[in-house]
Amino acid sequence: QVHMVESGGGLVQAGGSLRLSCAAHTTIYRVYNMGWHRQAPGKQRELVAAITNGGTTDYADSVKGRFTISRDDAKNTVYLQMDSLKPEDTAVYYCNGDIRIFSYALVTNTDWGQGTQVTVSS
């Protein structure tokens, strides 16, 4: 089973920016619909941004206008640009979605990876 590897997290002051990246832990054929999720301590995991295979995006109200999800299909990588960060954005961020491991394989959903910690100080 394939899981995604997230990177780019860190500690940033409120108002700052971070860019997260997400790629499969092994070589795959193609990434399809993908989403960025986050989980803060004591809270349930929530979807914050999604992008379809065709590039259509959607965002949670809490991040709309501040976060931008994008994809690079040549690299099978998905990004999350986070601007105007707030302390309430502090969480572990994960990506997850649909992939095709080989050109002839079925589209499958990825396993959850370790995530990347984002901490926003006030």
Side-chain angles (χ1 to χ4, degrees):
Q1 190 71 3
V2 175
H3 66 268
M4 306 305 286
V5 177
E6 302 88 353
S7 62
L11 173 63
V12 64
Q13 288 189 331
S17 299
L18 285 173
R19 188 192 193 208
L20 307 183
S21 299
C22 163
H25 82 279
T26 186
T27 302
I28 61 171
Y29 175 70
R30 181 73 190 272
V31 169
Y32 292 89
N33 299 337
M34 296 295 292
W36 279 98
H37 309 249
R38 68 185 181 188
Q39 187 166 20
K43 294 188 177 181
Q44 290 193 338
R45 191 171 297 180
E46 62 172 342
L47 177 65
V48 295
I51 187 166
T52 68
N53 185 43
T56 300
T57 59
D58 195 18
Y59 300 91
D61 288 342
S62 59
V63 306
K64 202 169 291 186
R66 300 187 298 120
F67 289 11
T68 304
I69 188 171
S70 61
R71 59 191 297 147
D72 183 338
D73 289 337
K75 297 180 179 180
N76 280 328
T77 300
V78 179
Y79 304 97
L80 185 68
Q81 177 67 41
M82 305 187 297
D83 298 317
S84 302
L85 282 162
K86 304 176 180 179
E88 51 263 45
D89 295 319
T90 296
V92 179
Y93 284 71
Y94 306 85
C95 73
N96 173 272
D98 299 325
I99 62 163
R100 196 187 298 269
I101 299 175
F102 304 109
S103 61
Y104 52 83
L106 296 174
V107 174
T108 58
N109 193 250
T110 59
D111 280 346
W112 294 102
Q114 295 297 309
T116 186
Q117 176 70 49
V118 171
T119 303
V120 184
S121 63
S122 56

